[in-house]
Amino acid sequence: MRHLAIVPILLLTSALAGCASFSPDGGMGVVSEVTAQAIGKDIAFVRTKDEATTVDAAVKRLLARNLTADAAVQLALLNNKGLQAAYNELALAETELVADSLPPNPTFSVSRITGNGASEVERQVVGDILALAMLPARSEIARERFRQAQLKAALATLRLAAEVRRGHVAAVAANETVALLTDAKATAESTAQLAKKLGETGGMNKLDQAREQVFYAEITADLASARQNAASSRERLARLLGLWDGDLGFRISSKLPLLPKRPLEQPSIEVAAVGHRVDLQIARMEIVALAKALDLTEATRFVTLLDVAGIDRRTRDPEGPPFRERGFDVQFQIPIFDGGEVRVRQAAETYRQAMNRLTEKAINVRSEARDAYRVYRSTYDIASHYQREVLPLRQIITEEMQLRFSSMQVDVFALLTEARQRLGSLRAAIDAKRDFWLAQSDLQTAINGDGPAAAPSTPSAITSTAPAAGDH
């Protein structure tokens, strides 16, 4: 049968059907490129058994070594299932892209009516002409949305990397604090036993004995708290790494790395952040997509339905020969009550809202970058001050006090007082170094990711204080 009214619809549908297809990498190329440029790490989207085997082998190799911060980040990017779920979101976004890029399927219908020996058979093919006409615009909007989805997957990758780096720093700092307090507890226990013996011989009164005993008791409680914090920090890191119970035997360092010789110089930190922040790029793409959607809404303001049907009808009549009829049917809406103003206004306000949010985000990005760099420089100066000034001076004081104690120029009480003060300085130095490495991670996030994380919580210092002069 020759359905002349249907032929243009079928030809156009066949021509457009091959315009959209799934990409070989599922859009992961952009995610991999952004991740490599920002943090220099590899990613993997595990969808097959062979890919899972390759990733498992890489994870085992990383777990066989002592996990540095960089190794922990790489392990998480390969093994974290939440990140794999974010990549699944990207794959779903690609299905939406392909779906929105395909022309609408034509509708076929067949009807047969009989009565009094007569019969009528009617065939129809219905095509949505408006949807076909708007297909290029809808396809372009879908591509913008897919590019946004790619950057959102990259943003999830960078966010996880920053969380892992912070978690690794917190876990290592907790280990270093536990080691320090373990040594301090041994010293406090020795002094408490010495104080008890001196009390038994009458060489120390009850007040001084109680001071040494309470210092030992407080150090013991502080060590228990530090061990719990270290265990919780390790568990948080294990969750970020995506490890099961049997994999918790991963090894991390017991000391934070040394400070760099000099801090990073970022004279154009705001420019770098505005140019590299992934969340800002996503907001810009949202503006582009909404602008195209606004144009499409305005173009289809008055016409929202336009269907064309090709009709072929065959009739059999017992009183005459059969005959055939051909024609077409057109359906469209008349904008009597709704002239499209509601849809246009909604699209316009959505576009203006996105513009305001983009402007706000640009302002916040510049401010966050400036603040992250100030915090970075401040924490570097503080940690460096402890390393260059405070700890060397504390070491000198300790050595001099030990010499004077050996020559009986000072008593044991002065030596114990200095030990308490030195312990406080050592712990403050650990906290300062931890804060610097956290600030460095936040600085990288402020430039590449979606803003710095919340300020790190500082563990409480040793509750006991050194006795004031004249207490003994």
Side-chain angles (χ1 to χ4, degrees), residues 117-119 313-325:
S119 66
R313 181 181 301 162
R314 182 169 178 168
T315 304
R316 289 180 178 273
D317 192 334
E319 298 180 357
F323 61 92
R324 176 173 293 173
E325 300 171 294

Side-chain angles (χ1 to χ4, degrees), residues 393-467:
L393 289 175
R394 278 295 173 195
Q395 183 64 29
I396 293 174
I397 293 172
T398 298
E399 293 173 355
E400 291 296 323
M401 289 295 291
Q402 289 175 348
L403 288 175
R404 283 164 173 72
F405 178 73
S406 299
S407 61
M408 303 183 67
Q409 297 180 28
V410 296
D411 57 13
V412 67
F413 305 111
L415 192 64
L416 296 177
T417 299
E418 190 280 327
R420 296 182 186 183
Q421 294 172 345
R422 184 170 182 268
L423 177 61
S425 296
L426 289 172
R427 192 165 185 184
I430 294 175
D431 292 343
K433 190 162 54 170
R434 178 206 61 198
D435 290 346
F436 165 75
W437 289 112
L438 292 177
Q440 187 181 65
S441 176
D442 289 344
L443 177 63
Q444 188 178 46
T445 303
I447 296 176
N448 298 316
D450 59 341
S457 58
T458 303
S460 58
I462 300 173
T463 54
S464 59
T465 57

Side-chain angles (χ1 to χ4, degrees), residues 30-58:
V30 172
V31 183
S32 179
E33 182 180 355
V34 172
T35 304
Q37 291 179 354
I39 58 177
K41 301 300 177 186
D42 298 325
I43 60 172
F45 186 17
V46 180
R47 288 175 289 183
T48 65
K49 185 176 181 180
D50 291 339
E51 291 171 343
T53 302
T54 302
V55 167
D56 289 342

Side-chain angles (χ1 to χ4, degrees), residues 73-143:
V73 169
Q74 183 61 80
L75 175 59
L77 296 186
L78 297 176
N79 200 51
N80 185 280
K81 301 308 177 185
L83 185 60
Q84 291 296 312
Y87 295 161
N88 292 133
E89 287 289 339
L90 176 58
L92 291 174
E94 188 180 31
T95 64
E96 295 178 3
L97 166 65
V98 174
D100 290 340
S101 300
L102 292 174
N105 292 322
T107 301
F108 295 84
S109 66
V110 178
S111 63
R112 184 174 184 270
I113 301 174
T114 61
N116 295 326
S119 66
E120 182 179 277
V121 178
E122 181 178 292
R123 304 175 182 86
Q124 289 190 36
V125 180
V126 184
D128 189 344
I129 300 301
L130 182 63
L132 287 174
M134 296 296 104
L135 181 61
R138 291 201 336 265
S139 179
E140 183 61 29
I141 294 173
R143 278 192 289 271

Side-chain angles (χ1 to χ4, degrees), residues 225-273:
S225 178
R227 283 174 174 165
Q228 176 57 48
N229 180 52
S232 297
S233 298
R234 185 180 180 86
E235 285 290 349
R236 286 194 294 270
L237 181 59
R239 290 195 295 270
L240 292 171
L241 297 178
L243 299 178
W244 294 90
D245 292 342
D247 299 323
L248 293 182
F250 64 92
R251 302 190 306 274
I252 58 175
S253 176
S254 59
K255 285 189 176 182
L256 290 169
L258 299 175
L259 296 176
K261 294 182 179 180
R262 59 183 63 86
L264 297 173
E265 295 294 337
Q266 293 284 357
S268 55
I269 182 71
E270 299 173 45
V271 176

